[in-house]
Every structure is written in structure tokens, then in C-alpha cells.
Amino acid sequence: MDKNSLGLPIGTTLDRFIKKNQDDFEYATGELSQLLRDIALAGKIINREVNKSGLLDIGGAYGNKNVQGEDQQKLDVIANIRFTRALRNGGQVCAIVSEEDEEIIHLNPNCRYVVCMDPLDGSSNIDVNVSIGTIFSIYRRISPTGGPVQNEDILQPGRDQVAAGYILYGSSTMLVYTTGHGVNGFTLEPSLGEFLLSHNNMRCPEEGTIYSINEGSWKQFDESIKAYTLWCKDQGLTARYIGSLVADYHRNMLKGGVYLYPNTKTAPDGKLRLLYECNALALIAEQAGGMATNGKERILDINPKSFHQRSPLYIGSKNMVERVLDFVQEGVEKA
Ligand code: AFP
């Protein structure tokens, strides 16, 4: 029987897996375990909404713009509401930073955990029935419980995440997460409504053949990124780009590949958000043996300055990310 590092077989329910994980930590209080269960519950609710989005009048733009100035989709708004409600009702979270809200959402000040999330990433793919995802990062607050949450509780480097993960709404729905002891993936069994362990101790191949970048932005790229992309073609690598970070990342983690969202002429800090996109995936990548960098430093070592800060991202198979770095750093030397 296939066993993971906790000695639990494939098919184990997420609940049981979380409980066993908790039992292995002497001083665990169960709060983080409950929080992970709350996130899984919210994920099931979003999954239900996503699956019927073509049937109900919830697809399409909402008419508002989010803090990034992008059109909000109705499902983005629904996912944000559902997640916030699940975390509020679960009672383990003192504050949320969400892609959809400019300000911190303050919850129970007596709780120890902060959540940064993108409730529905890749939302321009909703209306065309293509994979989308939820991304979450969990931090322990620094300021004492009882008082209001401070900026320092949110603006922590990614290496201080206590847990991180994503939910991929794809050909099946998967929850992938880490608490810093490897990465495990759970597939939703829809008839049971349970996430079951399907991918234990996930590892990202060190080398791969896939590169993922929006080449439509070619004219905006630095010369080093253009050179890297040409090198990929020269090597006969395979280009794959969905435009949903979670889906692109997940494929590359399983098959071996690199995802690039560089800084461009029009977006000098790139597009992706450090706190609720890059950090979570960077922790998962490293825990799976992969690598994540902004071209200058490890993503997990960046000290965030603002909630909605953007960052370039190069992530995936270790050797492939290192090769991107060679090009980027050579470009810096030439400049
Ligand atoms: P949307 O949520 O606006 O679709 O953005 C998705 C995303 O943040 C990330 O999931 C994609 O990898 C990336 O943006 C795609 O950006 P480009 O359209 O510029 O390639």
C-alpha cells in the first residue's frame, strides 16, 4: 500500500490526515488544524459554485474593479464572501488580506492566525470553463492576541508562513498544502464531498521540459527574458500557458517545468502579488524540492512593504529556475 510520510494510505480523508498531523506535534492546540478544515470547507463551497457557473447567472463581470484596477467577476466576489464567511465562522483567524479587498478584514482579535488569500485566481478563465484556483497563506500573528491586528502581523516574509496551499478547480478539484513538512495533495471525491489523499509527499522533478510564459508580452520583456525564451525554443522545450497561475504551477510541479511572470516595461514589478500568490506557491515549491525567485532573491526572503505588493516570479523545477537566473543575472551584468 502506498504510504506517505505520516504513514497514512492513499484514500485517507483530509480530516484524518490533518488530525494525524496535529497529533505528531506535541504542543499543537488544534487551532491550525481547524483553520485548514475551514479552508477545505470553503473550497468545497467554491467548487460547487464553480461547477454550476455556466448554468446560473453568476458568470461574467460584476461591474466593479478590484484594488488592482481589474474587472471583478461575479464568482470572484462570491468566492471572497464564502471564504471570509467560512474563516469568520470557523473562529481561528484574526485578520484576512484578500486580493478582492483593499483593507485588512478584521475578524476575532483573540485568534492567533492571519490568512492572506486570492479566493479565485485566474478568474478571466471562468467564463470559458478553464481551470482556476484559490491560493492561501497562513501566518502566526506577531502582536499579542486580544488587541487589533497590526501591519507587522501581515507583512511577514514568506519563510514565516506556518502553512500554505491552493485549491485547483480543474478536471478534478484538488487541495494541495504544506505545513512545512512536505507537500500533500487531496482530490475531492464529489459523491462523498470529501477530499481524499491522492498525491502523497509530492516532489517537483529537478529538471523538466515545459516553460510557461505569456509570450504575447514579448515586446515588453527585458532582453534576458527574450534570450531565455529563444533558448527554450532552440532546445525544443514545450510551451504551456493556461493563464491561471495555480493550474500552470501545478502542471509544472507534477511534470517538471518552469513558470515565468517577469517584470516588463509596463509592469516594472511584474503582475503577481507577493502576499497571496507568490509566497504560498514558493513555500510549496521549496517543500517539493523546487525553487522560486524574483530574479534577485528567494521569494520567501522578500520583506513585504505593502499588502498588495507585486513581484516578478520564476518558479518550478530547480535546475530550470537556476537556468532562468543565469540569463537574468547575465542580463544584469551586461546592462
Ligand atoms: P486574472 O485573475 O485576472 O485572470 O489573472 C490571473 C493571473 O493573476 C495568474 O493566475 C496568471 O498566471 C496571470 O495573471 C496571467 O496574466 P497574463 O494574462 O498577463 O498572462
Side-chain angles (χ1 to χ4, degrees), residues 222-278:
D222 286 351
E223 293 308 314
S224 56
I225 297 299
K226 287 182 183 171
Y228 175 73
T229 312
L230 289 173
W231 180 86
C232 290
K233 294 183 206 298
D234 194 49
Q235 297 294 309
L237 299 192
T238 299
R240 290 282 183 272
Y241 191 76
I242 296 169
S244 278
L245 175 61
V246 171
D248 278 311
Y249 170 77
H250 184 75
R251 180 202 50 242
N252 291 354
M253 178 168 73
L254 292 184
K255 298 204 165 191
V258 61
Y259 172 96
L260 304 92
Y261 208 110
N263 50 300
T264 63
K265 291 193 182 91
T266 46
D269 296 320
K271 176 186 183 190
L272 303 176
R273 294 65 160 193
L274 178 63
L275 257 62
Y276 40 80
E277 292 184 307
C278 303

Side-chain angles (χ1 to χ4, degrees), residues 137-328:
S137 284
I138 303 174
Y139 293 87
R140 205 168 280 120
R141 70 184 287 179
I142 295 169
S143 65
T145 52
V149 169
Q150 308 294 319
N151 283 1
E152 60 169 7
D153 296 321
I154 313 277
L155 299 176
Q156 301 189 50
R159 62 173 179 268
D160 292 341
Q161 292 169 99
V162 291
Y166 58 81
I167 303 166
L168 172 60
Y169 312 97
S171 46
S172 61
T173 295
M174 272 193 80
L175 187 154
V176 174
Y177 83 98
T178 180
T179 53
H181 303 275
V183 180
N184 290 284
F186 300 79
T187 300
L188 184 65
E189 213 294 9
S191 62
L192 296 174
E194 291 270 15
F195 281 107
L196 305 179
L197 179 64
S198 53
H199 296 63
N200 61 1
N201 197 19
M202 297 170 83
R203 304 296 298 166
C204 179
E206 284 202 351
E207 196 56 82
T209 56
I210 300 171
Y211 73 105
S212 309
I213 183 168
N214 183 349
E215 291 195 66
S217 302
W218 176 267
K219 281 191 167 172
Q220 307 293 328
F221 292 160
D222 286 351
E223 293 308 314
S224 56
I225 297 299
K226 287 182 183 171
Y228 175 73
T229 312
L230 289 173
W231 180 86
C232 290
K233 294 183 206 298
D234 194 49
Q235 297 294 309
L237 299 192
T238 299
R240 290 282 183 272
Y241 191 76
I242 296 169
S244 278
L245 175 61
V246 171
D248 278 311
Y249 170 77
H250 184 75
R251 180 202 50 242
N252 291 354
M253 178 168 73
L254 292 184
K255 298 204 165 191
V258 61
Y259 172 96
L260 304 92
Y261 208 110
N263 50 300
T264 63
K265 291 193 182 91
T266 46
D269 296 320
K271 176 186 183 190
L272 303 176
R273 294 65 160 193
L274 178 63
L275 257 62
Y276 40 80
E277 292 184 307
C278 303
N279 274 342
L281 298 188
L283 186 66
I284 289 178
E286 288 199 6
Q287 284 293 316
M291 191 172 166
T293 169
N294 66 357
K296 294 191 180 117
E297 63 180 318
R298 183 181 172 228
I299 290 286
L300 296 181
D301 283 340
I302 300 173
N303 286 313
K305 296 191 172 46
S306 60
F307 302 153
H308 300 287
Q309 178 173 336
R310 296 174 193 267
S311 171
L313 179 66
Y314 309 105
I315 188 167
S317 293
K318 190 165 169 293
N319 294 349
M320 295 188 81
V321 176
E322 276 172 353
R323 204 161 297 118
V324 175
L325 271 182
D326 289 344
F327 278 85
V328 170

